Amino acid sequence: MEKQEKIIEMFNQIAPTYDKANRVLSFGVDISWRKNACEILLDKLKTSDINIVDVACGTGDMMGIWEQMAKKKSIKISSMTGVDPSTGMLEVAKEKFPNYNFITAFANKTSLPNDFADIVSISYGIRNVVELKEALNEFNRILKPGGYVAVLEFTKRQNSGFISKIRDFYLSKILPKIGALISKNEEAYEYLPSSIENFLDKTAFCALLEEAGFEVEICKGYSFEVSTLFVAKKVK
């Protein structure tokens, strides 16, 4: 089984407990990161009628927050589309959000038309995409000219300090044990710290975004750089 298929199967297995594990493992703070990302993006758009595509949408958490924040700002979402290759995750998402559109597809092959979306978001999923450059090119293709991609991710740390050591200890020693208790799948939660360590640092990821035709406008760390928000505009 190739690497991407293994990752998808892992997410299929943990789908039923995924939401609960996320809230416990992040102490619920990931909700505030997501809300802030949505608010920043919605403030950048000049239109009040938009299409949003959430890639690696999982159980639809980010889609729900997009809708919540858009309502707060009186912005109409014409279409909300979730894309994910995990059928297990999408089953949960469809139960939670029966009115949204969902596509079973990879990040680099969404099947959506050119110039479709005002916003493409991906939250804590980009490091699981094996064909990373192809995925960023795909985001560019499906975005309207001047549209935005928003990426929330755990990035490899660039500096080693006290806070970084605490983060790494939590991710490698404590998180897998708690994740295993909730999901009964320790292997899946051991994968998380290794996937972060194998991912890019902020500088390298920004360079990839620019290579794919984006201009990076925001690269913002949350909670002592535990999580990073990248906001990039389609410029070519």
Side-chain angles (χ1 to χ4, degrees), residues 151-195:
V151 180
L152 273 167
E153 192 50 272
F154 302 113
T155 47
K156 186 190 288 188
R157 59 188 170 87
Q158 290 173 289
N159 304 309
S160 75
F162 180 65
I163 295 296
S164 295
K165 285 176 181 172
I166 290 174
R167 181 190 95 151
D168 290 351
F169 179 78
Y170 174 72
L171 288 173
S172 62
K173 304 297 183 187
I174 299 172
L175 182 144
K177 302 297 182 189
I178 300 172
L181 278 174
I182 296 168
S183 68
K184 307 293 185 280
N185 188 326
E186 186 166 357
E187 185 183 357
Y189 287 93
E190 285 174 344
Y191 163 79
L192 176 64
S194 67
S195 69

Side-chain angles (χ1 to χ4, degrees), residues 15-16 29 34 36 51 53 64 87 114 117 155-156 175 180 205 208 213 216:
V29 77
R34 292 170 192 263
N36 185 247
N51 293 339
V53 176
T87 52
N114 293 347
T155 47
K156 186 190 288 188
L175 182 144
F205 186 65
L208 273 191
V216 178

Side-chain angles (χ1 to χ4, degrees), residues 20-126:
K20 183 180 180 183
N22 264 6
R23 295 298 90 80
V24 171
L25 293 169
S26 74
F27 307 103
V29 77
D30 69 299
I31 297 290
S32 67
W33 298 338
R34 292 170 192 263
K35 283 183 175 179
N36 185 247
C38 291
E39 188 165 27
I40 288 169
L41 265 291
L42 292 169
D43 283 345
K44 282 184 173 290
L45 294 175
K46 307 299 181 199
T47 176
S48 61
D49 193 350
I50 61 174
N51 293 339
I52 296 177
V53 176
D54 190 47
V55 181
C57 67
T59 61
D61 266 9
M62 191 66 172
M63 300 169 79
I65 293 172
W66 276 122
E67 183 177 40
Q68 180 187 342
M69 299 306 288
K71 277 182 182 171
K72 195 174 170 183
K73 294 182 175 292
S74 301
I75 293 173
K76 180 188 173 189
I77 298 175
S78 294
S79 75
M80 178 84 78
T81 306
V83 178
D84 202 295
S86 166
T87 52
M89 287 289 190
L90 288 182
E91 279 173 20
V92 178
K94 287 172 185 174
E95 278 186 30
K96 286 164 67 178
F97 303 108
N99 297 326
Y100 296 166
N101 306 311
F102 292 100
I103 300 171
T104 307
F106 294 105
N108 61 317
K109 296 176 183 173
T110 65
S111 78
L112 289 163
N114 293 347
D115 304 338
F116 172 75
D118 297 278
I119 293 172
V120 171
S121 62
I122 180 165
S123 305
Y124 310 106
I126 198 75

Side-chain angles (χ1 to χ4, degrees), residues 5-23:
E5 289 175 353
K6 283 182 180 175
I7 293 170
I8 293 164
E9 181 51 35
M10 179 188 75
F11 279 106
N12 282 337
Q13 290 171 12
I14 63 174
T17 57
Y18 186 73
D19 284 347
K20 183 180 180 183
N22 264 6
R23 295 298 90 80

